[in-house]
Amino acid sequence: MISRSRRNVLKLALLAGAVPMLGGVARQALAGDRPYAPAASDWRKFQTRTVITLPEGPGPAQVWLPVPSVDSDYQRSLDDSWTGNATSAELVTDKSGAKFLHASFENGGAPHLELVSTVQTRNRTIDWTKESAFKEDPAILKAALQPSGYKPLDGVVAETAAKITKGAETDVDRVRLIYNWIVEHCYRNMDTPGCGPGDNVATLTTAGLGGKCADLNGLFVGLARASGVPARDVFGVRVAPSAFGYKQLGANSATITGAQHCRAEVYLTGYGWVAMDPADVLKVMRAETETWIKDPDDPLVKQVNGALFGNWEGNWVAYNTAEDLHLPGRAAVLPFMMYPQANVGDQIVNELDAKAFTYEITAAEA
């Protein structure tokens, strides 16, 4: 039995007050009564618990679990602890700063691992009328302009970026044009597994501009980089309902096994890192009501569209901003880490099949 903790683990409680599933008319009334407008907020504390149980087998197994590793003006990653029957387990930090728990099981049987993380979050907001004196490390900005395996900055990505931003004079103008283009031309494909692969070229070609958050926000990031604006995905998971009643913009139960969501951010001189989430605009358009809303100016969508250009709610925990990870003990490169990962022998377990894996993630406000 392995057990490591930097402090005692608090008992998780169920999230209170899950948002009811409102119909279209009620949702419209809610939108009118309480506009979607995240504002500066106090810190909230959450605990997430990930429990992994792999199928019993005679051979070795390995597990890699994402750990909140972002410390910023909107998140404090506080504490991690784990227990289980692993032969060994350690917290690993990738060269990008991303952290994950790596556990090995050498003795066969049914591998079991439980990870608890404690995080503080708060709303992220911007005042476009005020500039900031914040200056980022040039090395970090350079990294946020580089291509990755799924974000090449040439070919169709470069061509699309050039068309979208033609005539733009400032980085703010370029980012606004890219954001608007994503909302107006892309769509949330409900049949895409998980959060999508995040392959920019496929999204622009074979996928026909459809996908989920890793595809849509990932494309936003790729187009921004190709336009000379530092940008990065922020991979994480929703942990609480939206304060504004939007069921698609929050986790609506204590079980968040399928609530992974990646957001995006861009670096703008005079403002620093700025929150962006065009994928969630498209999620509201596609799934907030029974009818697919295709007009960004629809009253239910317009306020979300405006707010998510620079703001987001603190009902979400960020894991990392890493791309093209090399997990110790696995040969294949991982495009991004937002889901639990596992190998049984030399076989990679499908991280999107939580029932076969088997894993469950829960969250509670502490």
Side-chain angles (χ1 to χ4, degrees):
M1 175 74 70
I2 274 190
S3 177
R4 175 177 175 178
S5 179
R6 285 192 288 260
R7 67 186 190 183
N8 292 332
V9 178
L10 299 176
K11 291 184 178 180
L12 292 177
L14 292 176
L15 285 169
V19 177
M21 303 300 180
L22 301 180
V25 174
R27 187 67 63 177
Q28 289 282 358
L30 177 62
D33 294 340
R34 193 174 188 182
Y36 187 84
S41 65
D42 293 333
W43 290 99
R44 302 169 69 184
K45 183 185 289 186
F46 294 95
Q47 284 190 330
T48 63
R49 183 186 299 270
T50 303
V51 180
I52 303 287
T53 303
L54 290 173
E56 185 171 354
Q62 296 185 82
V63 168
W64 302 264
L65 302 183
V67 171
S69 52
V70 171
D71 287 291
S72 65
D73 59 354
Y74 65 87
Q75 179 168 309
R76 298 169 178 165
S77 300
L78 300 178
D79 182 58
D80 306 293
S81 63
W82 53 90
T83 60
N85 61 359
T87 310
S88 64
E90 64 175 339
L91 195 62
V92 178
T93 302
D94 177 80
K95 63 181 181 180
S96 67
K99 295 180 181 179
F100 50 89
L101 178 63
H102 178 210
S104 298
F105 304 83
E106 304 294 339
N107 301 323
H112 178 81
L113 185 65
E114 183 171 322
L115 166 68
V116 175
S117 296
T118 305
V119 180
Q120 285 184 315
T121 68
R122 63 181 179 182
N123 291 350
R124 189 173 182 184
T125 62
I126 188 171
D127 183 346
W128 291 104
T129 68
K130 297 180 180 179
E131 293 198 356
S132 167
F134 174 79
K135 300 292 183 182
E136 183 58 279
D137 182 340
I140 293 177
L141 295 181
K142 182 179 179 180
L145 284 167
Q146 300 304 306
S148 65
Y150 276 175
K151 293 183 180 69
L153 302 184
D154 55 5
V156 66
V157 177
E159 294 166 7
T160 304
K163 291 177 182 178
I164 294 171
T165 62
K166 184 178 180 180
E169 297 183 355
T170 70
D171 281 353
V172 175
D173 292 340
R174 293 181 186 92
V175 169
R176 170 58 83 179
L177 288 170
I178 295 167
Y179 180 100
N180 288 346
W181 186 89
I182 295 286
V183 171
E184 293 169 4
H185 292 84
C186 298
Y187 70 98
R188 180 176 176 84
N189 185 344
M190 304 296 283
D191 295 326
T192 299
C195 289
D199 185 333
N200 279 192
V201 173
T203 303
L204 287 170
T205 56
T206 57
L209 301 180
K212 289 188 179 172
C213 59
D215 306 307
L216 304 170
N217 280 340
L219 180 58
F220 170 83
V221 168
L223 293 171
R225 290 178 182 174
S227 303
V229 182
R232 57 195 183 191
D233 292 286
V234 190
F235 302 100
V237 64
R238 304 183 201 267
V239 293
S242 168
F244 302 94
Y246 282 79
K247 66 180 185 291
Q248 297 300 328
L249 300 183
N252 299 308
S253 79
T255 301
I256 59 169
T257 305
Q260 289 83 1
H261 178 59
C262 78
R263 289 173 165 174
E265 57 184 7
V266 295
Y267 184 83
L268 299 172
T269 301
Y271 299 100
W273 288 104
V274 180
M276 297 281 156
D277 200 343
D280 258 0
V281 181
L282 293 170
K283 189 178 186 187
V284 168
M285 293 174 70
R286 182 66 182 88
E288 189 65 29
T289 66
E290 295 180 359
T291 303
W292 185 350
I293 301 171
K294 298 185 178 180
D295 181 6
D297 288 326
D298 179 275
L300 189 67
V301 177
K302 187 174 183 178
Q303 56 192 335
V304 175
N305 189 18
L308 292 181
F309 187 82
N311 311 277
W312 68 41
E313 285 186 78
N315 62 339
W316 168 88
V317 166
Y319 288 133
N320 59 71
T321 61
E323 296 180 85
D324 296 344
L325 290 94
H326 296 270
L327 301 181
R330 179 186 281 188
V333 175
L334 186 66
F336 56 83
M337 192 172 197
M338 190 162 46
Y339 291 85
Q341 302 290 316
N343 275 28
V344 176
D346 294 330
Q347 298 299 311
I348 295 176
V349 181
N350 181 3
E351 71 270 24
L352 301 182
D353 190 351
K355 292 183 179 179
F357 198 134
T358 305
Y359 66 85
E360 182 180 74
I361 309 173
T362 56
E365 189 159 5

